[in-house]
Amino acid sequence: MSKSDDKPLEINPMRRLLGNIWLLARGRGVAAVMALGSIALMARALGPAEFGMVVLIQSYFLLMRGLLNFRAFEAVIRFGVPAHDSGDLRLLRRLIKVCRRVDHRASIAATALALSLAPLLGPLMGMDHDHVVLLAAYSLVLLTTNTSTAGGILRLFDLFDVLGKLMAIDPTIRFVGAVIAWWFDSPLWVFIAILAFSMAAANLYSLWLCRQVYRQRIGRPPEGESIHDATLTEFPGLRHFLWITYWQSNMDTVPKHITTMLTGNLLGPTEAGLLRLARDFSSLLAKPAVIIREVAFPDLTRSWNQGSNAFELVTYRIALLSGGFGMLFVLVGYLFGDVLLGTLIGKEFAVAAPVLTLLLLASTFDLSASSLRAAAYAIGCANKVLRMYVVSIAVYMTLFILLTQWMGLIGAGVAACVAAALPLLFLVALIHSNTSTR
């Protein structure tokens, strides 16, 4: 282990955090461009109705994955940072073994759940027998999604450049495949096969690469040491933390996929496709929010544990910078959203511009809250954050159902804005109350 690993705070905390965000953002940026390119090609090739079916199949897949996603990488950071900084490799090996076991079992359970529910939920989304078969086949990719712990290892050792490159693999393969399928005017099932192959290939490569990093940075157990008997109980608070992050993950992702599927049920596959299209474009802000949370969490954890005065400064500065950055996108969406959608995808998709602007605003609120949430986790308030997000999601789902039936897709955007503003206000109050009494 290098000295730079042993003393991660020798570098200016703000500069260090922004540097890691940039490393991860480069990969995420390439991924976002490639993902939007593949979406545009699929939409042009298939048209609104069939594109909407692709969206419903992918939303079902992501819902099943989210329902059994324990975000073990956050546990690797939360409990691995102290072990890493003190050089306790034995404890680190046992922690990673436990987290890998959680990942593996969750991926198997998610696959079984997806396969069993496909014949029941598929017809409710307007799918015929052939579409249900595609839905079930695509669900098999869930077997390869046990990659969370692997990502935690990369974050633990500040390998954000490697992580950024890994994030670009899936969308790059997807984009190349979409270009080929579009060129040959391929049917729906070919695009589904491309989505499945790109994700499975990226996941398997990530697992292989992270195993190599593990062997280089941590190493195999020495003679006489076994990690196979490692259990959750030997890490006080780990089981509780996994449950907190599990439910928090569900609060972050599941409602989005459920509302996409609900849109298909309430308004039809075409409208579901338009909502997903607007949501994917708004991910230009949603993905940086995830990056900031993931990058800030290890550094803010160290900063809080060591009593650094930089804790509040970094937290609030990142929140303000993020909010200002997001508002630029909101302005562009408001002024040019219809032109962009009509030019890039097709005139029939330009009607999604108003909801795109609202989703960009909601994503801006999430972006501003990202460093605040990482700070709340670092000071041990994950359970309070979870309770707040439960309230936020309850508000979101209620408003979504009511406003979508009343206002159409615009109602979905309004619901998202209201629900995203609540956690931002709560986190500001939470951080202030805890730091003022420190």
Side-chain angles (χ1 to χ4, degrees):
M1 190 180 300
S2 67
K3 291 183 179 180
S4 61
D5 285 333
D6 289 334
K7 297 180 180 180
L9 288 177
E10 288 180 350
I11 303 174
N12 179 278
M14 189 71 180
R15 183 179 301 174
R16 171 189 169 85
L17 182 57
L18 290 175
N20 284 337
I21 288 174
W22 170 244
L23 289 174
L24 198 56
R26 286 188 303 181
R28 287 274 194 177
V30 172
V33 171
M34 292 295 181
L36 289 177
S38 63
I39 288 168
L41 286 171
M42 282 192 291
R44 280 186 175 274
L46 298 173
E50 283 202 316
F51 175 69
M53 194 58 66
V54 173
V55 164
L56 290 175
I57 290 174
Q58 199 170 27
S59 295
Y60 176 84
F61 172 89
L62 294 173
L63 174 62
M64 294 299 112
R65 181 182 181 183
L67 286 174
L68 286 157
N69 180 11
F70 288 87
R71 293 177 67 86
F73 79 87
E74 294 195 87
V76 172
I77 294 170
R78 177 68 178 81
F79 293 86
V81 163
H84 168 268
D85 291 352
S86 65
D88 192 345
L89 294 183
R90 178 184 177 278
L91 187 65
L92 198 54
R93 290 189 193 98
R94 296 181 72 81
L95 172 66
I96 290 172
K97 178 64 177 180
V98 169
C99 291
R100 279 177 173 168
R101 191 181 297 140
V102 170
D103 271 349
H104 181 65
R105 292 176 179 176
S107 65
I108 293 175
T111 306
L113 181 65
L115 290 174
S116 61
L117 292 180
L120 301 175
L121 296 183
L124 294 178
M125 294 185 286
M127 296 183 181
D128 58 24
H129 176 267
D130 291 340
H131 291 142
V132 171
V133 171
L134 285 175
L135 184 65
Y138 190 46
S139 297
L140 292 172
V141 181
L142 287 165
L143 289 170
T144 70
T145 57
N146 54 331
T147 59
S148 185
T149 300
I153 295 171
L154 295 180
R155 292 173 176 88
L156 186 65
F157 289 100
D158 277 344
L159 297 176
F160 289 98
D161 54 338
V162 177
L163 188 61
K165 292 173 183 177
L166 288 177
M167 289 176 176
I169 294 175
D170 175 15
T172 300
I173 296 175
R174 194 190 318 167
F175 176 75
V176 173
V179 169
I180 296 172
W182 169 73
W183 182 263
F184 288 102
D185 195 23
S186 302
L188 173 67
W189 71 267
V190 174
F191 286 93
I192 298 297
I194 290 168
L195 292 174
F197 174 78
S198 64
M199 181 172 290
N203 288 342
L204 292 174
Y205 179 71
S206 296
L207 288 170
W208 176 83
L209 181 62
C210 290
R211 187 169 291 275
Q212 307 312 307
V213 172
Y214 175 88
R215 290 173 177 173
Q216 293 170 8
R217 298 298 185 106
I218 300 175
R220 297 176 182 275
E223 187 72 25
E225 179 185 321
S226 175
I227 59 175
H228 297 290
D229 60 341
T231 62
L232 286 169
T233 55
E234 64 186 87
F235 298 94
L238 176 57
R239 187 187 301 274
H240 177 70
F241 185 81
L242 283 171
W243 274 114
I244 291 291
T245 54
Y246 165 75
W247 287 112
Q248 184 65 66
S249 172
N250 277 272
M251 296 299 103
D252 291 339
T253 60
V254 170
K256 295 177 182 178
H257 306 312
I258 289 179
T259 51
T260 300
M261 295 165 65
L262 274 175
T263 303
N265 180 263
L266 294 173
L267 303 177
T270 299
E271 285 72 14
L274 292 173
L275 178 61
R276 173 61 186 275
L277 186 68
R279 188 168 282 152
D280 283 336
F281 272 85
S282 70
S283 69
L284 290 171
L285 295 180
K287 289 181 179 178
V290 176
I291 291 173
I292 291 172
R293 286 202 304 268
E294 294 179 358
V295 173
F297 185 35
D299 282 346
L300 290 177
T301 299
R302 288 189 175 102
S303 181
W304 179 261
N305 289 341
Q306 297 179 12
S308 172
N309 293 327
F311 180 83
E312 290 180 78
L313 179 66
V314 170
T315 299
Y316 289 122
R317 266 192 191 172
I318 294 296
L320 290 172
L321 288 172
S322 301
F325 177 74
M327 289 306 297
L328 293 177
F329 279 80
V330 175
L331 183 61
V332 171
Y334 177 74
L335 296 176
F336 308 109
D338 55 344
V339 176
L340 289 172
L341 291 176
T343 302
L344 293 175
I345 304 178
K347 293 182 179 180
E348 63 269 36
F349 292 95
V351 294
V355 72
L356 170 61
T357 302
L358 289 171
L359 291 179
L360 284 170
L361 181 58
S363 294
T364 298
F365 293 150
D366 286 336
L367 192 60
S368 293
S370 55
S371 64
L372 300 173
R373 186 164 127 189
Y377 272 41
I379 63 180
C381 292
N383 56 336
K384 294 181 180 179
V385 175
L386 175 61
R387 287 197 292 268
M388 176 60 237
Y389 273 90
V390 169
V391 173
S392 174
I393 294 307
V395 171
Y396 175 53
M397 295 300 296
T398 302
L399 289 178
F400 179 88
I401 294 172
L402 294 175
L403 296 181
T404 300
Q405 295 182 84
W406 176 37
M407 305 169 65
L409 286 181
I410 293 293
V414 174
C417 288
V418 174
L422 294 177
L424 175 61
L425 298 174
F426 171 79
L427 288 168
V428 169
L430 180 65
I431 299 299
H432 177 73
S433 64
N434 279 270
T435 54
S436 61
T437 58
R438 188 179 183 184

